[in-house]
Amino acid sequence: MADVASRGGLVLAATPLGDPGDASARLVSALAGAEVIAAEDTRRLRALAAALGVTTTGKVVSFYEDVETSRLPKLLEALREGQTVLLVTDAGMPSVSDPGYRLVAACVAEDLPVTCLPGPSAVTTALALSGLPCDRFCFEGFAPRKTGEKAKWLAGLVDEPRTVVFFESPHRLAATLREAAEVLGGERRAAVCRELTKTYEEVRRGTLPELAGWAEDGVRGEITVVLAPAPPRSVRVADLVGEVADRVAAGERLKSAAAEVATATGVSKKELYDAVLAARRS
């Protein structure tokens, strides 16, 4: 890791989710050698460094959401001068639902060097522990807070064919799981992962109603939810003819409308196209 610190550039470093023992040797070296450390919470940074037995020698600056934009000019100036800027957040990988994206984008725009020290991630850790399919998944960040936005978001997951991972605050968890059960159905399975890698780590698995009932008693800590993919639906070509006809009536070309509906539902494009033509003739 010393070579990264010596050649300068932005270094994104994943930090432990809870257990300091998960810190990589490269992270330890980077903390000791970076000329500038941009930290989401400087107090947590110093606690982590103390737990790892590291003495930081570089300048430490705060880099949380409310000051992210205002801190960019000074950090970019340091990077242009060839300094090493180490970016760390409270836990996990910077820029993944944490500060960092704007700084990375600014570095890319100026062709400044950027590298990454891989490590802990609540997303992949929860996914692996969930017992749900891991071959295809999507990450949704934090669940929407507002009722209308949350309802729309959940509606978009009704037919989601991939496993879904998202974050939620403990005091909103029960309500989100209840609403998810109503929108997605009582048979949809999920896993709630709490306090990953920490002393009171807990993983609860079950249907959405079961998990909502468990969360009603109150939940504490950092929460990551893993939602099972939607079960495949059996769709008949004849049932989709009307949908294609409606889209054509709204101005779409028949061929493209039939292709999009077929792709979304998994039926044959040719069969659906031919069925629409047959319905027109009859």
Side-chain angles (χ1 to χ4, degrees):
M1 179 55 223
D3 59 329
V4 174
S6 64
R7 68 173 178 258
L10 176 63
V11 181
L12 307 173
T15 53
L17 303 179
D19 190 334
D22 291 334
S24 69
R26 298 180 73 199
L27 172 61
V28 172
S29 180
L31 287 170
E35 291 152 296
V36 180
I37 302 176
E40 184 178 10
D41 186 325
T42 57
R43 292 168 300 179
R44 289 201 182 192
L45 166 67
R46 297 190 192 283
L48 175 62
L52 297 175
V54 176
T55 300
T56 58
T57 57
K59 179 181 179 181
V60 176
V61 298
S62 59
F63 194 74
Y64 53 94
E65 185 177 0
D66 291 342
V67 301
E68 192 173 355
T69 301
S70 64
R71 291 281 194 270
L72 289 183
K74 287 290 186 182
L75 293 176
L76 289 171
E77 182 181 338
L79 289 164
R80 294 187 198 105
E81 293 173 354
Q83 296 185 46
T84 297
V85 175
L86 178 67
L87 176 60
V88 295
T89 53
D90 291 349
M93 181 60 69
S95 79
V96 181
S97 284
D98 273 331
Y101 162 74
R102 292 180 179 87
L103 180 55
V104 174
C107 287
V108 171
E110 295 193 29
D111 201 25
L112 294 169
V114 181
T115 191
C116 180
L117 306 185
S121 166
V123 176
T124 52
T125 301
L127 185 67
L129 288 172
S130 69
L132 298 171
C134 301
D135 53 336
R136 297 180 65 213
F137 72 94
C138 60
F139 174 56
E140 290 284 323
F142 279 90
R145 294 188 181 189
K146 296 181 180 179
T147 302
E149 292 178 1
K150 184 179 292 185
K152 184 178 179 180
W153 172 68
L154 286 170
L157 300 180
V158 170
D159 294 315
E160 175 56 62
R162 298 166 295 180
T163 297
V164 180
V165 184
F166 65 91
F167 297 149
E168 184 56 288
S169 71
H171 66 273
R172 288 194 297 270
L173 178 63
T176 295
L177 292 172
R178 279 198 312 271
E179 190 168 350
E182 294 170 2
V183 176
L184 305 178
E187 298 303 313
R188 194 79 163 258
R189 297 189 65 80
V192 176
C193 304
R194 186 179 75 84
E195 293 290 87
L196 290 171
T197 78
K198 300 176 185 176
T199 302
Y200 298 105
E201 176 181 288
E202 181 179 18
V203 179
R204 288 274 181 163
R205 305 173 183 87
T207 63
L208 287 170
E210 289 169 346
L211 293 171
W214 161 75
E216 288 292 350
D217 295 332
V219 179
R220 300 177 66 180
E222 301 286 335
I223 304 294
T224 305
V225 180
V226 184
L227 176 68
R233 282 206 254 179
S234 177
V235 181
R236 297 188 311 155
V237 170
D239 296 333
L240 302 174
V241 170
E243 181 178 348
V244 175
D246 290 342
R247 294 176 67 150
V248 171
E252 289 188 50
R253 292 176 59 248
L254 171 57
K255 192 169 184 179
S256 60
E260 288 186 17
V261 172
T263 299
T265 55
V267 303
S268 164
K269 295 178 184 179
K270 184 178 186 307
E271 285 186 26
L272 180 56
Y273 182 79
D274 290 345
V276 174
L277 292 180
R280 282 183 169 183
R281 288 194 294 269
S282 63

